Amino acid sequence: MTRSIIELETTQEDHRVARIAAAAIALALVDSAIPLPLPGIKPGLANIVTMFVLARYGWSTAAWVTGLRVVASGILLGHFLSPAFFLSVAGAVASLAVLAFAVRLPDRVFGPVTWSLFAAFAHIAGQVLLVRLWLIPGNGVFYLVPFFAAAALIFGTINGVITARLLGDTGSVREFGAQNA
Amino acid sequence: MASVFSTEAPAPDPTRSASAPFSALSLFRPGDWFVFLAACAFCLVSFPLAWRGGVAEKLVVRQGGRVFAELDLSRASRIDIPGPIGTTTVAVEDGRARVVSDPGIHQYCVRQGWLERAGEIAICAPNEVSLEIAGSDKVYDSLNY
């Protein structure tokens, strides 16, 4: 029997995506470990990574990182292909779509806090829509919208500030780059 | 606005060193305040919008052509409706409704099972009782349309 070695050609970009996705997955796990009163509400710390990557490397890298994070954290948390997984996909798709627009806003006026708020609200909007259309076809879910909106406001602002801090902080960016090299 | 709360300039400086004191408000750009306030406004507005009565779907129970009761579908309940040939029992559970028992011979309305969507109807003709789910978005009534 001959041993065959399959070698995948990987680019610098692949390595970068994998490394950052690993960070995002770790944050997604931390996210799910934080207890919060309402199901469906979580800090969304992993979105900090998405926005950081969006600002540094562009939208397609951010989309890759987010996609990998959603799938891998779904497998790790045991909800892969369950309704919770599809909720996570819906939120990620909605916030990525909105981020593609938000990142094009004038740089001087709108910063990471704006992106983060947009992404957080898009995230809950995507999830609520999916719940309404597929999981619980009734208007009952809209009762919870105020709570989701308040959570999006609070966590969106906090995550935006953290992202702005990370991006403005040249020291940590260099560190990040050094790890990549 | 940010300068009221912090000693730093509101516009973030990309070359700021790692040792600069952390001030969350200084990381807001002018437009961020606008978006933040809009988000706050949305949150405040969402409470009355989501919680006004119209959102809840309800079950309209008629007896002899008159509205006998209107039941909130989000609350489990059970009522007895007296009619010409006996008592019809209707139950609401998990956002849906059904006829539990009816004195009619054919039991059509009982066998119809759960009514879940807006516009769905069950009629217990012998006892002159009808149920209809009234939703915020009413679908076409194919019987009359």
Side-chain angles (χ1 to χ4, degrees), chain A residues 26-109:
Chain A
L27 280 177
L29 295 185
V30 171
D31 245 357
S32 66
I34 297 173
L36 282 164
L38 252 185
I41 289 184
K42 56 180 187 170
L45 296 173
N47 197 40
I48 295 170
V49 177
T50 299
M51 289 184 294
F52 184 89
V53 173
L54 181 69
R56 285 264 165 263
Y57 306 112
W59 189 84
S60 65
T61 308
W64 264 110
V65 167
T66 307
L68 286 172
R69 184 251 295 170
V70 168
V71 172
S73 67
I75 292 170
L76 288 172
L77 295 169
H79 65 220
F80 185 57
L81 295 186
S82 77
F85 172 76
F86 289 106
L87 283 176
S88 166
V89 171
V93 168
S95 51
L96 276 173
V98 166
L99 279 174
F101 156 79
V103 81
R104 283 185 172 77
L105 291 170
D107 219 27
R108 287 256 148 239
V109 192

Side-chain angles (χ1 to χ4, degrees), chain A residues 107-114 117 121 139 142-143 146-147 149-150 153 157 161 164-165 168-170, chain B residues 14 16 18 20 22 24 27-32 35-36 39 42-43 46-47 50-51 55-57 136:
Chain A
D107 219 27
R108 287 256 148 239
V109 192
F110 298 100
V113 178
T114 296
L117 281 169
F121 277 91
N139 288 334
F142 292 120
Y143 278 116
F147 295 115
L153 175 68
T157 307
V161 167
R165 171 74 176 158
D169 194 331
T170 46
Chain B
R16 207 150 48 91
F22 179 75
L27 296 166
F28 276 65
R29 294 179 200 176
D32 291 344
V35 173
F36 177 75
F42 176 82
C43 283
S46 72
F47 278 87
W51 290 353
V55 176
E57 292 172 348
S136 41

Side-chain angles (χ1 to χ4, degrees), chain B residues 19-80:
Chain B
S19 59
F22 179 75
S23 171
L25 295 175
S26 70
L27 296 166
F28 276 65
R29 294 179 200 176
D32 291 344
W33 283 108
F34 173 74
V35 173
F36 177 75
L37 292 176
C40 287
F42 176 82
C43 283
L44 288 178
V45 167
S46 72
F47 278 87
L49 273 184
W51 290 353
R52 80 189 150 153
V55 176
E57 292 172 348
K58 58 186 180 175
L59 176 75
V60 180
V61 181
R62 289 193 177 80
Q63 202 287 316
R66 282 199 312 269
V67 174
F68 180 83
E70 289 190 353
L71 305 176
D72 186 350
L73 280 180
S74 60
R75 222 162 283 154
S77 59
R78 187 177 271 254
I79 58 163
D80 295 327

